[in-house]
Structure formats: structure tokens, C-alpha cells
Amino acid sequence: QVQPVESGGGLVQPGGSLRLSCAAAGSIFSINAMGWYRQAPGKQRELVAAMTSGGTTNYADSVKGRFTISRDNAKNTVDLQMNDLKPEGTALYYCNLRKRNRYAAIVDYWGQGTQVTVSS
């Protein structure tokens, strides 16, 4: 069973930085993309950043210029460097792994989430 595991969350002051890491455990084949989503209480889960196996990136407008996603395809890991954090960045951050199954259907796997709290 594929199980992404996140780490690196915590409490930081506005303007601070955190680096989130995710490692996907299990036997994984044909990964299309890995990325990060976040969800605050009472709000929908939203894309933060993602990267395909080919290196194409997609960032939420709210984090462009401040967050950087990186991947190691060989190790099935993805990191998110978060700089200049803002209070509105407070959320549970989830690692996402997207792949296709043997029928070519898209399947998403999610980590349990790591809490990021930005507060003074």
C-alpha cells in the first residue's frame, strides 16, 4: 500500500521559514506527480505546489515567489521550502502522490498531514 509520510511542520512566526518533506513508502510505479496541498479548518483543500516527474511545476498564486517545491524521483520524495510565511498559511499540509493504475486511471495517495502554524 502506498503511504506518503510528511514531516517538518511546526510553529513559526510570520516571515519565518519551514521546510516540509515527504517520503512515499511502499512499492510505487508510474508516478505522474508529487505535491503539496493544504487545508485550513472550515476551508477546502487547495493546491499549494506540485511537480510532475518531468519537472513541470504548478504553484498557487498565493505562494509564488515564496515557496519552492523540489523532487527526487529516484527516492520518491518531495520537499516544500516555505519562506516568508504568513498567518494565512496556517493549515494542515498534505503530501500528495499522483499515479496511474494499470488501467491508466489517475489515483491519488495522501499523507496524514503535518500542521503548519504561522503566528506571533
Side-chain angles (χ1 to χ4, degrees):
Q1 184 175 359
V2 178
Q3 178 61 65
V5 179
E6 307 97 333
S7 63
L11 174 65
V12 297
Q13 294 184 334
S17 298
L18 282 175
R19 187 177 183 88
L20 305 182
S21 298
C22 174
S27 183
I28 307 170
F29 304 95
S30 189
I31 297 174
N32 285 82
M34 295 186 71
W36 293 90
Y37 290 70
R38 66 187 179 188
Q39 186 171 24
K43 301 183 69 175
Q44 295 183 347
R45 185 177 299 185
E46 65 175 354
L47 171 72
V48 179
M51 180 180 288
T52 70
S53 59
T56 301
T57 59
N58 186 22
Y59 292 93
D61 289 341
S62 60
V63 307
K64 288 180 179 177
R66 298 185 297 115
F67 291 11
T68 303
I69 189 170
S70 60
R71 284 185 64 185
D72 187 330
N73 292 336
K75 297 180 180 179
N76 293 328
T77 60
V78 60
D79 289 0
L80 184 68
Q81 178 65 46
M82 305 185 295
N83 297 326
D84 191 23
L85 282 160
K86 303 179 182 300
E88 51 265 40
T90 296
L92 192 64
Y93 285 69
Y94 294 93
C95 178
N96 168 259
L97 184 155
R98 172 166 287 185
K99 68 182 296 293
R100 292 187 181 273
N101 63 17
R102 59 190 176 112
Y103 304 106
I106 294 175
V107 180
D108 284 317
Y109 297 89
W110 300 93
Q112 294 183 225
T114 184
Q115 179 67 39
V116 172
T117 302
V118 186
S119 176
S120 59

